[in-house]
Amino acid sequence: MKGFPSPTTVATRLVWPMAALILLVLLLAGSVVWWMTRTLDQAAMQDERARVALALNDLRQHALENIRSYATTLSSDKMGRHPVDPVGTAAILTSEGKGPSRQWAIFLLNTDDSVLFGSVGGEVAGQPQFDGRRRIFDAVIRDVRQKEASDPHLHTGKSGMIGATRIVHDGWSAYVAAATTISSDSPHIVVGASELDARALSEIAGPLGLQELHLSTNSNIRHSGAVAIDDATDRGPAFLVWQSSLPSALVNDQALTAIAAIALLTVAFAAGILLHVRGQLIELSRRQEQVQRLAAHDSLSGLPNRLLFGMRLDQELARIKRSDEGLAVMFLDLDRFKDVNDTYGHEAGDMLIRIVARRLSNLLRGADTLARFGGDEFAIIQTDVKDPRDAEALARRILDALTMPCEVPGGSVTIGVSIGVALSPRNGTDRETLMRLADTALYQAKNGGRNRYSFFERQMDEALRLRKVVEDDLRAAILADELQLHYQPQYKANGEEIVGVEALVRWPHPQHGWISPQQFIAIAEERGLIIPLGEWVLRKACEDAKRWPGLRIAVNVSPIQFRQRDFVSSVMNIIEEADIDPTRVELEVTEGVVMDDADAAEEAMMELRARGVRLALDDFGTGYSSLIYLRRFAFDKIKIDRSFLESMETTGESAILVHSVVHLGRALGLTVTAEGVETSEQHRFLQALGCHELQGYLFSKPVPAHEIDKMLGIAPDESRSGAVA
């Protein structure tokens, strides 16, 4: 049965079609409104330009009339027929109440355009003042001269005067300029100009209902209204511009209201559904944001997590390819963190994680990256590593910082840290390789005693490869019965009679050849494979024991096996299934069996002995409390470790220790077996001490079961049939 659609699916099915419909309606309405307002705006701007042009034309006519008034005055009877009286002319040009004399610059020019008399703002002016404004007057003077030249008989206006007027600019301001002849028979010209300052422009714009009328020399006109004016300079065109009051503003407001009403009507049909979808989308968005935060950062420490760490490592690797820099990848694993959690609780553990994160952050530079992978695992990208000593120095600082006591709820705790370091480009140039090698180096640091750092070395790769082989293939090998047992005989002290054999597991891997127990037993214990492996060894040894009546079968037992609740019953079930005498089975244990949980170990050992199974203490003398264990636990045998015989001399310290162990065992009524006997001198010395049993390469190395058959003189047919003890 299919579930309900997700909020995203609902949004896709409902929101997008509705949004498309609304968008279509808005586009249609907007297109109509745009066309209407565009037409209205164009008509409004044309009307404004016409009104502005008319106002400027009126301004020019008014200016021309003013200039003609001066010209008429100059040609009156006060001056005679030839205006040669300087005092009288100056008085006329600067007189009060005769037009805009104080706002205007007015000059009387001769036929060569030289100044006879002038007035600027009501003050007498001459040739220099005219020259400073020459470009403003050039156009209107030129217009008058051209009219005179084109038709000497042309006379317009008052008293046959020829006139011209323009609106011009000098790059900074606009001016209204005008020029006229004094009379039809006079060679003189009167010119004048007045600046269109802000006040003057305001007086023009006010009656027209315009806003912000001003001069602009920007050729890229973006204003809604503009008229060009004449250029009195070489600076380029200029414009009188204003902000139009277009109909579109009012129409757009009304149109938007109408469009909104249409949209609301459309939305109303699906309002309920959309509200529900909106709620779903908000919740979905909130969850997505939360997921994104969690996806990139650790919630407890606030540090980047593995995902973000990998992304930053890719970025740094890409960067150092373009430079001569290097970097270090460090994997950190806190030591004794589990003890803090178990002793003080998870609240203390969380506090410890935050303290560690803060201390590590204080040791790093801004370009470095610190991440938490989870649990007690951290990782660092150290940038700008020019030499391995840079990474080593940081690793030492980390060790010093994290071995300082930490205050957590419940008390003060002290932890350590194991660090694995991989360098780029020395060890690798891609993310996967560097992280794998740093993890390998971390494993080496932990196995080397913890609270230390270890740089990746090439031989670690082989160890990692073997570890992978064991983890992947050992369980399958146990189930497929692909392992083998070899047996090393145990002789009486005379070295002639076999009294037992020790079962030793061997692994012939189909691709990697023979893998020794030293290589895979520890990994099997770490990965939880030691239980099925131990049961397979015991079962196989008991089956082979049926071929050798009278021999004891010694099998090594891991402390992990011994701690299992059903260990005793499992052992007895295997012995009963093989149908052999329990007294022929000897379990060899080390001090680790009794150190972890002495009470439980004692109970299991007493039960095993009660059922006839023998117990041997292996590697005797290498631990710390062997004598205490001998007094408390019911062992049947002690085995002297081979390390005492490797460099033993008959009068040396090792010889004294072996002598003491043998006599101690005999005094306690225990069987004493010496391992690692390789020379005749060792044999004779141990026999003289009274050692009960001997085992070593002097007599035989571990061999397959059929070789034991040969030693015992058992024919192949007998071994296949299986003698019952």
Side-chain angles (χ1 to χ4, degrees):
M1 181 178 177
K2 297 183 179 179
F4 291 104
S6 66
T8 303
T9 303
V10 174
T12 302
R13 294 177 180 176
L14 297 177
V15 174
W16 292 120
M18 186 62 64
L21 177 60
I22 295 172
L23 180 61
L24 179 60
V25 172
L26 293 177
L27 286 175
L28 290 174
S31 299
V32 173
V33 172
W34 175 83
W35 179 81
M36 292 175 59
T37 55
R38 184 170 179 271
T39 303
L40 292 173
D41 285 349
Q42 290 176 346
M45 284 189 289
Q46 290 177 358
D47 179 67
E48 285 183 348
R49 291 192 188 99
R51 286 188 287 132
V52 171
L54 183 60
L56 293 178
N57 187 60
D58 290 344
L59 180 65
R60 291 167 54 191
Q61 292 300 321
H62 181 68
L64 183 58
E65 290 175 359
N66 285 340
I67 295 303
R68 282 177 172 166
S69 295
Y70 282 100
T72 300
T73 304
L74 291 174
S75 62
S76 65
D77 293 338
K78 297 178 182 179
M79 297 292 297
R81 296 188 59 82
H82 301 286
V84 294
D85 179 10
V87 177
T89 302
I92 293 172
L93 292 177
T94 59
S95 61
E96 295 281 352
K98 298 231 182 245
S101 58
R102 294 194 178 275
Q103 290 78 31
W104 282 68
I106 304 172
F107 296 92
L108 175 63
L109 305 180
N110 208 340
T111 54
D112 59 354
D113 292 343
S114 59
V115 176
L116 294 175
F117 307 104
S119 171
V120 176
E123 300 292 335
V124 176
Q127 189 68 43
Q129 288 78 11
F130 175 79
D131 291 341
R133 297 167 175 78
R134 181 60 182 263
R135 290 191 174 185
I136 298 174
F137 299 120
D138 278 349
V140 291
I141 293 173
R142 185 172 58 251
D143 290 345
V144 170
R145 296 300 187 196
Q146 287 176 352
K147 288 180 181 180
E148 285 182 326
S150 63
D151 187 358
H153 303 290
L154 178 63
H155 301 287
T156 61
K158 298 179 180 180
S159 304
M161 298 177 181
I162 299 174
T165 180
R166 290 194 180 210
I167 304 293
V168 298
H169 77 93
D170 62 356
W172 292 277
S173 299
Y175 299 86
V176 56
T180 183
T181 59
I182 293 179
S183 65
S184 59
D185 55 353
S186 173
H188 305 296
I189 294 176
V190 177
V191 296
S194 177
E195 181 183 356
L196 298 179
D197 56 12
R199 179 179 177 183
L201 293 176
S202 177
E203 291 176 352
I204 296 173
L208 299 178
L210 304 180
Q211 299 178 14
E212 302 178 5
L213 182 64
H214 61 279
L215 178 70
S216 174
T217 58
N218 184 4
S219 60
N220 186 19
I221 295 298
R222 297 180 181 273
H223 300 80
S224 58
V227 293
I229 60 176
D230 296 331
D231 183 17
T233 68
D234 297 328
R235 299 178 182 273
F239 306 85
L240 285 177
V241 298
W242 65 92
Q243 187 67 39
S244 297
S245 299
L246 299 178
S248 58
L250 178 60
V251 173
N252 284 341
D253 290 341
Q254 297 173 347
L256 288 175
T257 303
I259 292 172
I262 296 172
L264 289 175
L265 289 175
T266 305
V267 172
F269 289 107
I273 297 176
L274 291 180
L275 287 175
H276 175 71
V277 173
R278 178 178 176 275
Q280 293 290 335
L281 292 177
I282 291 174
E283 178 64 19
L284 178 62
S285 177
R286 186 188 65 79
R287 292 182 181 180
Q288 287 177 339
E289 290 177 358
Q290 183 178 7
V291 168
Q292 289 175 353
R293 287 196 302 271
L294 294 177
H297 289 82
D298 170 56
S299 58
L300 177 59
S301 64
L303 297 175
N305 61 10
R306 183 185 294 270
L307 176 63
L308 185 54
F309 179 87
M311 295 171 60
R312 291 188 179 177
L313 181 54
D314 284 339
Q315 294 171 355
E316 289 298 329
L317 289 173
R319 185 181 63 81
I320 67 173
K321 286 182 180 179
R322 302 187 296 269
S323 65
D324 296 330
E325 298 180 10
L327 62 81
V329 175
M330 298 185 179
F331 277 15
L332 290 69
D333 192 277
L334 302 183
D335 301 331
R336 298 184 296 277
F337 176 74
K338 184 177 182 299
D339 296 340
V340 175
N341 263 342
D342 294 342
T343 304
Y344 299 97
H346 290 285
E347 182 181 353
D350 292 346
M351 175 65 75
L352 181 59
I353 290 295
R354 288 190 285 267
I355 293 173
V356 169
R358 185 167 59 252
R359 290 185 181 180
L360 292 175
S361 298
N362 292 336
L363 298 176
L364 302 182
R365 296 167 300 183
D368 299 338
T369 296
L370 171 63
R372 180 181 178 231
F373 285 0
D376 58 353
E377 299 176 354
F378 293 82
I380 292 173
I381 303 173
Q382 182 187 12
T383 59
D384 195 21
V385 176
K386 297 181 175 62
D387 187 272
R389 287 173 293 185
D390 296 335
E392 182 178 8
L394 176 59
R396 290 182 181 276
R397 293 198 300 270
I398 292 173
L399 290 176
D400 293 340
L402 296 191
T403 52
M404 297 175 61
C406 302
E407 296 297 328
V408 300
S412 177
V413 298
T414 302
I415 60 171
V417 63
S418 299
I419 307 172
V421 185
L423 301 173
S424 181
R426 171 180 294 189
N427 301 137
T429 56
D430 63 278
R431 170 168 52 91
E432 291 78 7
T433 299
L434 287 172
M435 293 180 69
R436 177 175 62 83
L437 299 185
D439 191 48
T440 301
L442 173 61
Y443 181 77
Q444 182 70 19
K446 293 166 67 175
N447 283 352
R450 298 179 181 272
N451 201 35
R452 61 191 298 269
Y453 62 86
S454 176
F455 282 78
F456 172 78
E457 299 174 359
R458 285 298 167 191
Q459 57 266 32
M460 295 180 185
D461 239 1
E462 178 61 26
L464 183 64
R465 184 189 63 80
L466 178 61
R467 179 184 181 88
K468 183 67 173 174
V469 169
V470 172
E471 293 178 357
D472 292 346
D473 299 344
L474 182 56
R475 189 182 301 276
I478 296 171
L479 295 175
D481 203 25
E482 295 176 351
L483 303 177
Q484 293 183 12
L485 285 186
H486 285 195
Y487 297 92
Q488 187 171 34
Q490 297 172 339
Y491 286 80
K492 284 188 176 181
N494 58 20
E496 298 177 355
E497 181 181 352
I498 299 176
V499 294
V501 291
E502 180 180 359
L504 301 169
V505 65
R506 298 290 186 267
W507 184 6
H509 195 280
Q511 283 83 37
H512 304 283
W514 289 92
I515 302 178
S516 68
Q518 290 79 8
Q519 292 177 303
F520 68 83
I521 292 296
I523 300 176
E525 289 181 331
E526 181 182 339
R527 294 302 180 186
L529 296 174
I530 196 64
I531 303 300
L533 176 61
E535 292 178 353
W536 183 90
V537 171
L538 180 59
R539 182 174 288 105
K540 181 64 176 177
C542 289
E543 291 175 359
D544 289 341
K546 296 164 65 175
R547 302 159 58 171
W548 310 313
L551 289 188
R552 293 191 308 274
I553 302 295
V555 178
N556 291 282
V557 178
S558 166
I560 297 177
Q561 291 176 263
F562 221 89
R563 288 197 294 268
Q564 299 299 306
R565 293 182 180 274
D566 59 348
F567 174 69
V568 175
S569 60
S570 175
V571 170
M572 297 312 301
N573 288 338
I574 292 173
I575 294 174
E576 291 172 2
E577 290 174 2
D579 194 21
I580 64 172
D581 187 352
T583 60
R584 294 180 56 203
V585 178
E586 186 173 87
L587 302 182
E588 295 188 2
V589 299
T590 61
E591 291 182 6
V593 170
V594 295
M595 286 178 63
D596 294 335
D597 190 344
D599 294 336
E602 182 178 22
E603 182 180 350
M605 293 171 68
M606 292 178 62
E607 186 174 354
L608 286 170
R609 289 202 70 205
R611 299 193 181 192
V613 178
R614 293 170 54 85
L615 298 170
L617 181 59
D618 199 8
D619 301 333
F620 183 78
T622 60
Y624 299 100
S625 308
S626 297
L627 294 178
I628 297 175
Y629 298 144
L630 287 179
R631 292 181 59 186
R632 177 175 179 181
F633 299 99
F635 289 105
D636 298 286
K637 176 191 286 189
I638 56 175
K639 300 186 71 175
I640 301 174
D641 187 71
R642 66 181 67 248
S643 61
F644 290 104
L645 304 181
E646 289 177 351
S647 58
M648 185 188 72
E649 297 178 1
T650 55
T651 58
E653 181 178 331
S654 295
I656 296 173
L657 291 174
V658 172
H659 182 277
S660 301
V661 171
V662 172
H663 282 271
L664 174 64
R666 295 180 68 90
L668 295 175
L670 304 177
T671 300
V672 181
T673 299
E675 293 183 296
V677 181
E678 297 182 356
T679 66
S680 299
E681 290 78 8
Q682 292 173 345
H683 177 197
R684 288 191 295 270
F685 175 73
L686 293 169
Q687 186 178 16
L689 289 180
C691 194
H692 298 97
E693 298 175 358
L694 305 175
Q695 179 180 345
Y697 276 25
L698 177 64
F699 309 105
S700 174
K701 64 180 181 180
V703 295
H706 64 85
E707 295 292 334
I708 300 296
D709 292 342
K710 293 179 181 179
M711 294 179 187
L712 297 175
I714 299 175
D717 291 341
E718 294 179 82
S719 65
R720 282 195 296 269
S721 61
V724 179

